[in-house]
Amino acid sequence: MRDLQWDGSINARDLGGLGSMRTGAIVRMEAPTRLSADGWAAAWAYGIRTIVDLRHVNEGPPDQVPRPAGMTVVQVPQDPATDTPFYKHWSQLDSLASPLYFPALLAEYPEVVVAAARAIANAAPGGVVIHCASGKDRTGLLSLALLTLAGADAQEIIADYLLTYERMKPRFDELGVRDQLTAVTEIVAAHGTTVQASLASTIDLLAMPAFLLNNGLCEKELHALRARLLTA
């Protein structure tokens, strides 16, 4: 089972088993701020030792309970700064909440994805959690990159991305937010595409490992990343 039952989280899942991704290497989830003491204990028992936070500094509420003392947090924001033309354009177009913006981010700001991959490659021994706010788009794009490196096929990568809509629906319902899959489907349809087609076009752009190497990851870091992530 890839789904992880960590008290306080509804969207934690292991990427292991997709392509050559090793179980226990990468867990994707929503922001872990609601994890209880038991939830953090479960994450620690699972082997998690590093949290890669893809949000901006001070984004979102604080944790409800302290994290384990031996767990390292690395902040690697995946959204460009709010005063950039990119952010202003896409925040108006889709609020950076659909896969429409993924190809543009990879073209204009590939270094942010590479920085996250570097943080994973250089993390201390143990499992790594990657998260943003809901674990959908910033986490989704990084997951696309990691799973493409792991040789997962497009259909299983897309299915994993779509799973977040289902998993996070109770949280969005609680906040009074309309169904996000419906909302995003409408956004991408207005631009003549579908969620699945938009994701597939992004995956096509992620030629691996060339994307990482051409955008700043060195061979030593690539070797470390592969050693951490892959079963073979």
Side-chain angles (χ1 to χ4, degrees):
M1 271 305 272
R2 295 201 301 120
D3 291 345
L4 300 173
Q5 305 305 313
W6 295 351
D7 187 49
S9 170
I10 60 174
N11 193 28
R13 61 186 183 274
D14 197 316
L15 293 183
L18 301 179
S20 298
M21 186 69 73
R22 181 173 60 80
T23 298
I26 299 290
V27 171
R28 62 176 294 176
M29 66 182 297
E30 78 277 31
T33 52
R34 292 195 184 192
L35 283 183
S36 66
D38 286 344
W40 281 114
W44 182 269
Y46 197 72
I48 300 302
R49 296 297 181 267
T50 302
I51 308 284
V52 177
D53 187 344
L54 306 177
R55 303 172 300 169
H56 286 288
V57 177
N58 298 323
E59 180 184 338
D63 293 345
Q64 293 185 358
V65 300
R67 303 180 180 196
M71 204 171 279
T72 300
V73 179
V74 183
Q75 198 110 27
V76 192
Q78 295 296 285
D79 282 345
T82 57
D83 60 351
T84 60
F86 181 97
Y87 188 92
K88 291 175 181 177
H89 172 76
W90 287 100
S91 61
Q92 292 178 3
L93 197 70
D94 72 350
S95 300
L96 283 88
S98 90
L100 273 180
Y101 82 90
F102 288 179
L105 185 78
L106 293 176
E108 296 182 45
Y109 292 94
E111 66 275 9
V112 300
V113 177
V114 172
R118 179 177 292 113
I120 295 168
N122 293 335
V128 177
V129 158
I130 58 174
H131 78 85
C132 50
S134 63
K136 180 169 71 69
D137 292 304
R138 288 169 285 188
T139 304
L141 180 55
L142 179 57
S143 295
L144 257 68
L146 298 176
L147 290 173
T148 302
L149 179 66
D153 67 50
Q155 291 308 307
E156 59 186 346
I157 297 174
I158 292 169
D160 177 70
Y161 173 88
L162 291 172
L163 187 57
T164 292
Y165 289 103
E166 174 187 332
R167 297 289 298 273
M168 288 297 293
K169 190 175 188 304
R171 192 68 52 80
F172 288 123
D173 289 345
E174 173 189 322
L175 296 172
V177 176
R178 71 181 296 220
D179 180 74
Q180 286 297 284
L181 183 56
T182 300
V184 171
T185 297
E186 291 175 359
I187 289 170
V188 299
H191 294 271
T193 188
T194 65
V195 174
Q196 293 85 345
S198 186
L199 291 167
S201 66
T202 302
I203 294 166
D204 287 342
L205 294 173
L206 285 165
M208 289 295 185
F211 172 82
L212 297 173
L213 293 173
N214 291 343
N215 291 291
L217 200 72
C218 70
E219 290 282 358
K220 182 178 179 180
E221 290 168 330
L222 176 62
H223 178 77
L225 184 63
R226 280 177 156 160
R228 175 181 290 276
L229 299 185
L230 307 183
T231 57

